Amino acid sequence: MKKMIPKRVLTLVLLALLMLFSITACKSAPAESNAGTTKENAAGSSDTPENIDPVGKYQEPVTMTWAVQTAAASKLLDKDTWEDNRWSRLIKEQLNIDLKVAFSADSSTDAYKNKLNAIIASGDLPDVFKTQDVNVFLQLAQNGQLADLTDVFNKYASDSLKAYQERFADSFKGATIDGKLYAIPRMNDNFHQAPFLWIREDWLKNTNSQPPKTIEEMVALAKKFATGDPDGNGVNGDTYGLALNKDLIRQNHGSILGLVSAFSVPGRDESMFYRDENGKMTFAWIQPNMKEALSLLADMFNQGLIDKEFTSKNESALVEDITSGKIGMAYGSNWGTWYPYNNVYKKDGVITYPYAIPTKPGYDYKIGVESNAVGQMTMVSAKAKNPEAVIKILNLYDQTVNNSTKDDYDKYWSNEQYRLSPIYIDQPGEVYAADLLEALDKGSSDGLAPAAKPLYDYIVGFDNGSLAQDDNAFGTWGQMSKSGSLPWVLNKYIPENAMVQSILGIERPEAWLTNVSSLDTLTITTFTDIITGAKPVDHFDTFVQQWLKAGGQQTLDELEKMYPAK
């Protein structure tokens, strides 16, 4: 039997220990304390990573400034603001970090990019900010304006975050320069960037049509949509057959990416460099087959199958045309049921379905996607006093959204609420697509990752009608149900070897960094002129020569050395 220690003795022992700790603390305390920067303030901090609490609370408040990317898809609920919202309150409560908005701007236009460029020029960077422009990321890192996150990530990242680092190794490699981690990358596999042809189901039924499987069938359907009465309003010819976005080569709704893919051109913005069938470095937009694709679009434009005013309409105007029922068909990305076709569903109760891109007989279709090494980067200013705070917020995000309860998932992720966190795991749910299809086949979510289970519930709920009016359910269903977009990638595009990943990773030739903006403008301007008839189709040959002379050929030559053939 154990002996009991008298309370008086125990009290004396505790007092002695308390005095010892107090003396030791006095001897080791720094002469000056800067709240948020001393080791004592960093909750659980120690020189040994095993003693660190990844979501430990700071003893004294820490302030972090961040740049807000607003967009049409952003939603502020329950009287939240960008300054005071569910995420800012959670981060304050759990970590004692005060968030301050440095600036906000629309990232679906050039507003955010222009504002960020002005801030970069001033040298007054916020503590945390994002960019999708790899050139901006490289410039800032090389100029010493970004914090080296290597040590703070290794020291403060949770085991879950470190598992993402292994799973998305290419993404983290893209955020690493000379062995140092300068950003938190988008954690993804870029297969989800593939384009699809989105078609309003009611227009198909009203015109007694089937989804097109060839380019010729697509044009014939566009003609029905533009000259007939697909919307059933009793007026022929007040609709358009195919939507076009004025930016053409961007991964926006109404791009030409899916169409040119049918002609063996793996197009994608200004970054699609790859090796051709002869192993030679080449670029998507200078392919000879582009001539036939542009000729087809010019013919469709001339026939009135495409809105004559597309060149003057921004993204918002195009979405308004889609929502108001003027357009029934467009090439676009996998997130269509999140935006803009959620608007169509809410307004008219009509589903716009994604279909595999129609192909061109005699051509092997090719779909271009970015290298997994590039994408949105979340960066920390070199002047930030607490770079480790970013990792702690990321840990909190991962714990709350990906490894917690459905209630937390719904509150902090659903309805675009994840955007309220200054840093988040921009890991698209699409990475769970294959797992979800398997779970749907067996009728159970057992075995799914925590973050995938709500997605399963959304799909099932939309299918059975219980979540028919839930935006999150509709968006997820449109991506990952059996009728969604991503099964086309998993069951058709990938097995048929159609996917082509760009060679262009984080390393960029100087010639490209210098000329990319002007070459990008040249490409969009030339393609627009050919489609609208301002220039003949043969002008494409002149464009290729201009592109090569204006830094394109030098870029190809440098890439041959930078990314040698294996």
Side-chain angles (χ1 to χ4, degrees):
M1 183 175 179
K2 295 182 179 179
K3 293 183 178 180
M4 298 296 292
I5 300 175
K7 288 184 179 181
R8 185 172 60 83
V9 174
L10 182 59
T11 301
L12 291 173
V13 170
L14 290 175
L15 286 172
L17 287 172
L18 181 61
M19 291 174 65
L20 178 62
F21 289 148
S22 299
I23 293 169
T24 303
C26 290
K27 288 182 177 178
S28 60
E32 294 183 3
S33 176
N34 184 1
T37 61
T38 66
K39 287 184 180 180
E40 283 70 19
N41 189 43
S45 67
S46 169
D47 290 335
T48 55
E50 60 268 20
N51 293 330
I52 289 176
D53 181 355
V55 288
K57 189 173 185 178
Y58 287 100
Q59 294 175 6
E60 298 294 333
V62 165
T63 298
M64 175 186 290
T65 60
W66 68 297
V68 174
Q69 290 182 325
T70 64
S74 303
K75 294 182 181 179
L76 292 167
L77 306 175
D78 304 325
K79 298 183 180 180
D80 279 353
T81 66
W82 287 107
E83 291 77 16
D84 180 15
N85 55 69
R86 61 196 61 194
W87 271 107
S88 67
R89 292 188 291 270
L90 179 70
I91 289 168
K92 174 62 176 177
E93 176 187 335
Q94 297 293 323
L95 300 175
N96 202 15
I97 296 174
D98 295 311
L99 296 179
K100 291 182 64 176
V101 174
F103 72 86
S104 63
D106 189 347
S107 61
S108 60
T109 67
D110 287 336
Y112 178 84
K113 180 176 70 174
N114 294 339
K115 181 67 174 178
L116 180 60
N117 286 339
I119 294 294
I120 290 172
S122 73
D124 189 22
L125 290 171
D127 292 333
V128 184
F129 58 102
K130 297 179 175 67
T131 185
Q132 288 183 296
D133 189 335
V134 70
N135 301 329
V136 169
F137 168 62
L138 283 171
Q139 177 188 13
L140 290 171
Q142 291 165 354
N143 290 346
Q145 293 173 272
L146 299 183
D148 176 2
L149 301 176
T150 312
D151 289 341
V152 292
F153 186 89
N154 291 337
K155 190 173 182 180
Y156 288 89
S158 65
D159 290 341
S160 180
L161 278 193
K162 290 175 180 175
Y164 292 133
Q165 188 179 30
E166 293 181 13
R167 181 176 182 180
F168 303 105
D170 285 353
S171 297
F172 275 86
K173 182 179 179 182
T176 302
I177 301 173
D178 296 331
K180 296 179 179 180
L181 183 69
Y182 283 104
I184 301 300
R186 179 184 175 106
M187 302 173 196
N188 67 338
D189 182 335
N190 283 332
F191 75 85
H192 69 276
Q193 294 177 349
F196 310 90
L197 184 62
W198 293 81
I199 310 175
R200 283 182 64 128
E201 186 68 7
D202 59 335
W203 285 27
L204 278 178
K205 291 179 179 178
N206 292 345
T207 58
N208 194 29
S209 302
Q210 296 296 318
K213 294 184 178 179
T214 66
I215 284 290
E216 288 74 18
E217 291 175 356
M218 184 275 293
V219 174
L221 183 61
K223 197 164 191 176
K224 283 186 180 181
F225 284 176
T227 60
D229 183 25
D231 57 355
N233 69 349
V235 179
N236 289 341
D238 65 341
T239 48
Y240 298 109
L242 181 71
L244 275 193
N245 189 302
K246 71 183 182 72
D247 289 327
L248 292 175
I249 64 175
R250 299 279 183 266
Q251 195 191 11
N252 291 334
H253 309 291
S255 75
I256 64 172
L257 302 186
L259 188 144
V260 302
S261 292
F263 293 86
S264 298
V265 178
R268 178 172 175 78
D269 56 53
E270 75 283 356
S271 65
M272 196 61 211
F273 291 91
Y274 61 103
R275 293 192 178 277
D276 62 20
E277 63 273 11
N278 298 315
K280 187 176 180 181
M281 188 72 69
T282 190
F283 182 64
W285 301 123
I286 63 172
Q287 299 308 303
N289 295 351
M290 273 301 302
K291 203 169 180 178
E292 189 173 352
L294 291 171
S295 178
L296 174 75
L297 286 166
D299 187 51
M300 292 180 72
F301 182 87
N302 188 52
Q303 291 184 56
L305 310 187
I306 296 169
D307 182 5
K308 298 284 188 181
E309 305 299 322
F310 86 87
T311 60
S312 62
K313 292 185 175 180
N314 59 20
E315 176 88 353
S316 297
L318 174 62
V319 169
E320 176 56 33
D321 283 346
I322 291 172
T323 303
S324 63
K326 292 182 179 180
I327 296 169
M329 181 166 60
Y331 288 95
S333 301
N334 80 81
W335 56 78
T337 46
W338 288 100
Y339 183 78
Y341 301 116
N342 60 324
N343 296 335
V344 176
Y345 180 68
K346 284 189 285 190
K347 177 177 176 290
D348 299 329
V350 171
I351 294 177
T352 305
Y353 282 92
Y355 297 96
I357 61 167
T359 55
K360 176 71 175 174
Y363 292 86
D364 293 328
Y365 74 100
K366 297 295 179 185
I367 292 171
V369 297
E370 283 183 325
S371 164
N372 290 334
V374 299
Q376 180 166 274
M377 301 286 185
T378 302
M379 299 156 289
V380 179
S381 169
K383 296 179 181 178
K385 293 182 179 179
N386 293 87
E388 81 288 339
V390 177
I391 309 302
K392 293 170 81 67
I393 292 176
L394 194 59
N395 289 330
L396 178 63
Y397 176 91
D398 185 43
Q399 174 181 290
T400 304
V401 171
N402 295 332
N403 294 288
S404 190
T405 65
K406 186 178 186 302
D407 287 343
D408 280 341
Y409 184 90
D410 287 342
K411 180 177 181 180
Y412 293 103
W413 182 87
S414 300
N415 296 307
E416 305 291 329
Q417 296 307 288
Y418 67 89
R419 296 177 184 268
L420 300 177
S421 177
I423 183 168
Y424 46 81
I425 297 175
D426 197 12
Q427 173 192 327
E430 298 95 295
V431 299
Y432 299 117
D435 297 335
L436 283 165
L437 288 174
E438 185 177 331
L440 292 168
D441 280 338
K442 69 180 183 181
S444 171
S445 62
D446 291 346
L448 285 175
K453 289 185 177 182
L455 306 179
Y456 176 91
D457 293 338
Y458 285 142
I459 295 170
V460 172
F462 187 82
D463 269 332
N464 66 27
S466 63
L467 295 176
Q469 302 307 314
D470 188 298
D471 282 353
N472 300 295
F474 183 56
T476 305
W477 177 86
Q479 286 178 306
M480 290 177 279
S481 72
K482 293 180 181 179
S483 301
S485 54
L486 293 179
W488 288 116
V489 180
L490 298 172
N491 300 325
K492 181 174 173 66
Y493 293 174
I494 292 176
E496 292 179 0
N497 296 315
M499 307 294 285
V500 180
Q501 188 177 108
S502 175
I503 283 175
L504 199 62
I506 195 64
E507 291 184 272
R508 304 288 168 107
E510 190 61 37
W512 186 242
L513 296 175
T514 302
N515 298 299
V516 59
S517 180
S518 58
L519 290 176
D520 187 39
T521 300
L522 173 66
T523 302
I524 293 176
T525 301
T526 300
F527 290 2
T528 301
D529 285 346
I530 292 175
I531 291 170
T532 59
K535 295 280 177 65
V537 175
D538 284 342
H539 180 68
F540 176 78
D541 299 327
T542 302
F543 155 74
V544 172
Q545 294 306 311
Q546 290 175 327
W547 188 91
L548 292 170
K549 290 179 181 178
Q553 184 62 62
Q554 186 179 351
T555 298
L556 292 172
D557 294 340
E558 291 182 23
L559 283 173
E560 283 283 2
K561 301 173 184 176
M562 191 171 284
Y563 296 94
K566 297 180 180 179

